C-alpha cells in the first residue's frame, strides 16, 4: 500500500508540474495564474493554505482534482508541492470532509 501511495503521489506531482508548465509562458519571471473557473476549493490546515484545482473548468462533465500548497506573496498566489504522504493524506481528508459538508446542505 505504501508503494501505491508513493506511485500515486509521484503521478500527481508529475501531473501538477505538467499543468503548471501549460500555464507558464516563455517568460521565466511569469507567476502561475490558475483561472478562477479552475479553482475548486481553498482551505487551511494547521496554518497552511491549500488549493484544490482542476485542469479544466468546473463546468466540464469530468475533471480531475489536484492539490497544492498555497502561499500568497504580494497578492499573488504561489503554488507549492505538497511535501509528503502524510501532508497529502491530510489535505485529501480535509477536502473530502468539506466536500461532504457542501454536498450535505
Amino acid at each position: 500500500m505504501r508503494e501505491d501511495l508513493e506511485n500515486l503521489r509521484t503521478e500527481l506531482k508529475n501531473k501538477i508540474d505538467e499543468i503548471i508548465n501549460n500555464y507558464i509562458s516563455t517568460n521565466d519571471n511569469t507567476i502561475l495564474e490558475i483561472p478562477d473557473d479552475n479553482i475548486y476549493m481553498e482551505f487551511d490546515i494547521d496554518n497552511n493554505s491549500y488549493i484544490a484545482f482542476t485542469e479544466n473548468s468546473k463546468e466540464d462533465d469530468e475533471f480531475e482534482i489536484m492539490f497544492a500548497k498555497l502561499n500568497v506573496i504580494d497578492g499573488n498566489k504561489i503554488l507549492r508541492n505538497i511535501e509528503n504522504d502524510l501532508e497529502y493524506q491530510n489535505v485529501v481528508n480535509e477536502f473530502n470532509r468539506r466536500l461532504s459538508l457542501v454536498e450535505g446542505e
Side-chain angles (χ1 to χ4, degrees), residues 57-73:
S57 162
K58 290 183 281 193
E59 284 76 35
D60 292 344
D61 288 337
E62 292 185 24
F63 54 88
E64 181 179 349
I65 297 289
M66 290 162 280
F67 303 97
K69 192 177 282 189
L70 177 66
N71 294 106
V72 178
I73 300 174

Side-chain angles (χ1 to χ4, degrees), residues 44-86:
D44 294 331
I45 304 172
D46 298 329
N47 298 320
N48 289 308
S49 296
Y50 297 91
I51 185 171
F53 64 100
T54 66
E55 183 175 11
N56 303 322
S57 162
K58 290 183 281 193
E59 284 76 35
D60 292 344
D61 288 337
E62 292 185 24
F63 54 88
E64 181 179 349
I65 297 289
M66 290 162 280
F67 303 97
K69 192 177 282 189
L70 177 66
N71 294 106
V72 178
I73 300 174
D74 295 331
N76 296 306
K77 295 176 181 177
I78 309 296
L79 298 183
R80 307 229 186 269
N81 286 331
I82 294 175
E83 296 172 16
N84 58 50
D85 292 337
L86 180 60

